[in-house]
């Protein structure tokens, strides 16, 4: 390209690419280089390249495929896709694929909000959350059987922010916290950061054993219990209703805050729609219910909320205001209309069959590939991931290293607890994957375990 | 309204309002009740009322005016607007009016991003910030004379989040911090929260006195200096270039982190575009530059960033990820295109004359109304607010109470420092106000001061 050429760089680049396409140097279905690599090659910025691609698209010469790049218009990029598969398979991402996000409806709603509000759409708003959104969310909660009296909603930039501010507001260094074993690694990092002392209770097919939890609560001055009662992360288990009630009672009797982290309640994986713990124990006043929309809507929205006893909710509002003033009111009003106009309900009927089929395929494939390789799989009932124990004689650390060599990304078992008690496990997530990619990933996991066992044996023999 | 009527409530409500407009019961220019009050009266939700209003608007029967409500189409709501003015005047908001926000350009950019990316626009992104955005921001900084080597950008949900995570990452309880006196109240709250010990240095016409700062740095083991060198909040002063350089040198020599909080550098209020401190001392490696877009673009975007020495930047990235995983990539890419396509530059040329005229009018009105009432005004050179000392014999607390009685909102002087040393001051912000509203507010401030002085005298006489 000519820097002396008076036309913008992106126009020059688009014209060059157009020539290459028209000359046949770039064939139909061929993948264009990534914006980053092309920018590096041309000593320009990815933005310039993106603009050039956009120009090609607007002329019908190229098309973008969600998550996979930009292609010359005219045919399937089949070869390119399988080439991508061969390089690396990620079994460590739990969110749904972007193709499922309701981008068109969201776009229409954004347009209407801008019609109605103009620039006001981007003004400051209510620090604790948009009032209309909170009203709509409350309505849904009441319908789902939640008790709302004496409680309040606070809107956050995702459930992660709700949890991080909750732990900061409610915990002091040295406080005891109970979690399930295994549990969501992100929360363990937050608890470490907060200086909490953590006690874990194993999660069984019906949830944690309430008697074991009662013992821990008798033994330690526990300040908070963190739980994932519906489609537990990573096992995919659901607590029984009896377990939810009993744990709520135990925490209520001792005045312990019980946090329910919920991303998937109300989604039917084939056994009916499980109810949130907070809806099974509506009178229990110390439950803090944290809701994420990342799994049922889209993660990049960065919206979540928390239903908490009023006093704690007020503390959280202050903490939220201090942390970042407020979450953008624009997306909050988008979510408000999305729910109040019935789109959320419709959207759930779309993603439910997707999730259900994917879960059935994923667990069947895991049973077919990992069980014969010696893995012990926890029989979950839904969700975007599963949990297994490594075969006998496979050390977690070695297994992780062989996964890297095999080109498969997994979350190592040791991330799911603060001691080494889950180091012989592995979490595997499938929600974004085509079944073939999932199966290929599982085969690599099986090979990595086999290689790790052989290396461990050789090491022992060599001693 | 009839709950038995099969039509949605909002359609029924819109039809009722339409009848009232066509019958003349609601006249042209008349303000419709607020969505909240109408919802309460009809036992429905504000969302329903908003939908009804929207229906009226789409039929050309009503129009919304930014920030003031929905009116029957056909004439100016002059009476309603002045009625609103009479009730309460807020001199405590610094952001620009929503009518200045570039909503149309933003909307076009959002459309193009959704054309290009579809649902992928709402996927997770890079925790430290969108790469293209960071590249564009870096380019602008280089152009403005910043030294970038050994530093990194981190994107946050507004400057408030940058500051709150910076203080948490860099300060321990008991650490000494230097601020200007007066200074931004929000930061003082964050410092209190962090358990910092705060020393204040008076800000003069050219900035704080470097020799005084040097004394403080010699006296205390200071860990961080927080500064507002360009259009200082609340005084509107700009540090001289000499002062910026000298303070940077002092902090560099002692290894103290120097935070520059910048919302308005690059905006010309009539004396040329002032340069950020970080651009005046590009080699100073311990400056942390925090940029807010709330004043120059729009606050509801919730985007800001921080340029920090690489090691600290990496710490901040981890803190950001822990706090809320990441800021929505969608808005980041909107901002990226807004800047890279030249809209930001054009937008600045629009808001500059607005700010300049407003500042001239506001300072002239303050000189005309407050000076005769005994206030001593700090002669700022730009920005959205000014700072004054209360007249002799007016106690800050009493003054605040009389402001409430007079119906004028001000930020009390004592918020601008952690001791009582600024209790005899007052911060007054005008960026959202029509000149008449500003003048009316100032008259109320003058009356409140007068009433407070009389009450104080009566109290002393009564002793």
């Amino acid at each position: 390209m000519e820097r002396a050429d008076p036309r913008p760089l992106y126009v020059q680049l688009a014209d060059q690419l157009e020539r290459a396409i028209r000359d046949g140097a770039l064939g139909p279905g061929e993948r264009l280089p990534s914006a980053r690599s092309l920018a590096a090659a041309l000593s320009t910025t990815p933005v310039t390249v993106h603009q050039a691609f956009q120009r090609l698209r607007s002329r019908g010469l190229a098309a973008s495929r969600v998550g996979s790049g930009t292609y010359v218009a005219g045919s399937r990029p089949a070869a390119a896709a399988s080439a991508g598969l061969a390089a690396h398979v990620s079994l460590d991402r739990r969110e749904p694929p972007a193709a499922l996000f309701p981008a068109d409806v969201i776009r229409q709603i954004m347009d209407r909000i801008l019609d109605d509000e103009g620039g006001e759409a981007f003004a400051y708003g209510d620090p604790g959350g948009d009032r209309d959104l909170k009203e709509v969310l409350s309505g849904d909660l009441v319908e789902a059987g939640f008790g709302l009296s004496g409680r309040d909603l606070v809107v956050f930039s995702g459930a992660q922010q709700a949890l991080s501010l909750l732990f900061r507001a409610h915990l002091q260094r040295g406080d005891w916290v109970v979690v399930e074993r295994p549990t969501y690694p992100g929360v363990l990092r937050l608890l470490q950061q907060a200086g909490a002392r953590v006690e874990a209770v194993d999660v069984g097919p019906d949830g944690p054993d309430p008697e074991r939890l009662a013992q821990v609560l008798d033994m330690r001055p526990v300040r908070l219990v963190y739980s994932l009662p519906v489609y537990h992360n990573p096992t995919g288990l659901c607590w029984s209703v009896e377990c939810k009630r009993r744990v709520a009672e135990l925490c209520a009797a001792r005045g312990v805050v019980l946090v329910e982290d919920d991303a998937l309640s109300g989604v039917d994986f084939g056994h009916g729609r499980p109810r949130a713990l907070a809806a099974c124990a509506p009178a229990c006043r110390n439950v803090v219910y944290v809701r994420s929309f990342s799994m049922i809507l889209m993660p990049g929205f960065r919206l979540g909320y928390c239903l908490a006893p009023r006093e704690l909710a007020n503390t959280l509002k202050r903490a939220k205001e201090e942390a970042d003033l407020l979450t953008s009111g624009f997306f909050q009003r988008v979510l408000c209309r999305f729910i109040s106009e019935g789109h959320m309900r419709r959207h759930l009927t779309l993603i439910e069959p997707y999730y259900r089929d994917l879960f059935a395929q994923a667990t069947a494939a895991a049973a077919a590939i990992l069980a014969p390789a010696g893995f012990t799989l926890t029989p979950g009932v839904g969700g975007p991931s599963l949990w297994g124990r490594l075969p006998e004689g496979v050390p977690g650390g070695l297994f992780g290293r062989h996964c890297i060599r095999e080109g498969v990304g997994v979350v190592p078992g040791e991330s799911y607890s603060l001691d080494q008690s889950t180091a012989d496990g592995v979490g595997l997530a499938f929600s974004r994957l085509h079944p073939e990619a999932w199966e290929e990933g599982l085969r690599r996991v099986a090979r990595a375990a086999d290689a790790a066992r052989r290396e461990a044996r050789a090491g022992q023999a060599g001693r």
Side-chain angles (χ1 to χ4, degrees), chain A:
Chain A
M1 285 189 294
E2 278 298 315
R3 299 255 167 195
D5 188 323
R7 298 172 309 157
L9 274 179
Y10 79 95
V11 174
Q12 300 178 47
L13 173 56
D15 284 359
Q16 277 199 349
L17 289 169
E18 181 172 346
R19 268 199 300 281
I21 293 169
R22 299 215 187 272
D23 295 351
L26 285 167
E30 200 162 324
R31 192 182 198 282
L32 294 173
S34 77
R36 200 156 311 278
S37 63
L38 201 51
L42 301 171
S43 303
T44 182
T45 69
V47 174
T48 302
V49 179
H50 281 306
Q51 287 173 322
F53 285 178
Q54 189 188 319
R55 200 172 161 89
L56 290 177
R57 278 192 297 268
S58 69
R59 296 179 178 186
L61 292 166
S64 291
R65 292 200 175 73
V66 163
S68 72
T70 302
Y71 295 87
V72 178
S75 126
R76 312 276 89 198
S82 60
L85 178 64
H88 187 83
V89 184
S90 294
L91 307 186
D92 49 6
R93 295 181 65 183
R94 293 169 49 91
E95 76 271 19
L100 278 189
F101 299 163
D104 290 337
V105 178
I106 295 292
R107 178 186 198 146
Q108 288 162 20
I109 293 177
M110 295 199 304
D111 274 342
R112 279 188 281 128
I113 290 178
L114 288 169
D115 280 344
D116 290 357
E117 303 184 9
E120 195 68 37
F122 303 114
Y124 279 126
D126 233 316
D130 182 79
R131 281 204 200 174
D132 286 349
L133 172 61
K134 287 171 65 173
E135 198 168 329
V136 164
L137 294 172
S138 302
D140 275 6
L141 289 177
V142 168
E143 222 171 278
F146 283 69
L148 298 193
S149 83
R151 294 163 210 214
D152 202 1
L153 278 176
V154 191
V155 176
F156 294 94
S157 300
Q160 176 83 13
Q161 188 181 44
L163 292 169
S164 90
L165 293 179
L166 171 64
F167 294 162
R168 265 209 293 150
H170 188 67
L171 297 178
Q172 298 195 314
R173 300 196 84 75
D175 274 349
W176 282 97
V177 169
V178 176
V179 300
E180 295 162 271
R181 183 164 51 209
T183 193
Y184 167 46
V187 152
L188 293 173
R189 285 198 303 270
L190 288 178
L191 291 174
Q192 275 185 308
Q193 196 67 25
R197 287 183 285 184
V198 174
E199 188 78 64
V201 175
D202 287 321
V203 61
D206 293 325
D209 176 5
E211 299 325 308
R212 176 67 195 133
L213 176 64
Q215 283 170 8
V216 174
L217 294 180
D218 287 341
M219 212 161 62
R220 308 279 193 205
V222 170
R223 182 120 176 102
L224 185 147
V225 173
Y226 170 79
S227 71
L228 293 151
V230 173
Y231 304 128
H232 173 269
N233 175 3
T235 64
L237 294 166
C238 278
W239 295 17
S240 67
V241 172
E242 180 49 34
C243 176
K244 291 176 193 167
R245 291 213 179 109
R246 187 82 185 94
V247 170
E249 278 165 19
L250 286 170
C251 290
R254 287 161 175 88
V256 174
V257 161
L258 171 57
V259 180
E260 172 173 29
D261 186 359
D262 181 20
L264 277 167
S265 79
V267 178
D268 182 359
F269 277 82
H271 312 81
R273 295 186 167 153
R275 291 174 73 197
L277 179 150
C280 294
C284 180
R285 292 202 165 257
N286 54 330
V287 175
V288 175
Y289 176 77
V290 177
R291 178 69 160 174
S292 163
F293 291 103
S294 295
M295 297 295 306
I296 55 171
L297 188 54
M298 35 203 209
F301 237 54
R302 306 313 303 128
L303 278 181
Y305 70 91
C306 172
L307 178 71
R310 192 168 309 270
E311 202 179 326
L312 185 53
N314 288 335
T315 307
L316 289 173
K317 272 180 220 173
R318 283 193 299 274
K320 164 71 184 167
E321 197 167 353
E322 219 161 63
D324 61 6
L325 294 185
L326 75 169
T327 295
S328 169
F330 181 66
F331 275 163
Q332 292 189 58
R333 291 195 290 285
V334 171
L335 179 61
C336 176
R337 294 201 189 193
F338 189 80
I339 298 174
S340 69
E341 293 173 4
H343 299 295
M344 184 66 104
R345 207 159 292 150
R346 278 190 287 279
H347 182 62
L348 282 178
T349 64
L350 279 174
I351 62 167
E352 255 180 2
Y354 170 85
Y355 270 148
R356 204 180 297 151
D357 291 353
L358 195 66
F359 182 78
Q361 287 164 349
T363 46
I369 296 168
L370 294 187
F375 283 78
T376 313
L377 298 167
T378 298
V381 294
S385 66
L386 53 82
W387 174 251
R389 293 273 164 181
L390 299 178
E392 276 284 323
V394 175
L398 266 184
F399 168 70
R401 262 169 277 152
H402 280 283
C403 281
I404 294 168
R405 272 180 224 162
E406 288 284 345
V408 60
V410 302
V411 182
E414 59 182 18
S415 314
Y416 292 90
S417 68
L418 285 183
D419 51 27
Q420 284 296 305
S421 58
T422 54
D424 65 342
V426 61
L428 301 163
F430 47 80
S431 63
R432 292 172 59 89
L433 296 177
H434 293 284
E436 318 89 77
W438 170 244
E439 286 167 23
E440 171 63 19
L442 294 178
R443 281 191 290 271
R444 294 179 189 191
V445 165
R447 284 202 297 270
D450 195 47
R453 180 170 37 210
R454 276 185 283 116
E455 188 179 331
R457 272 192 200 146
Q460 281 175 334
R463 265 189 215 159

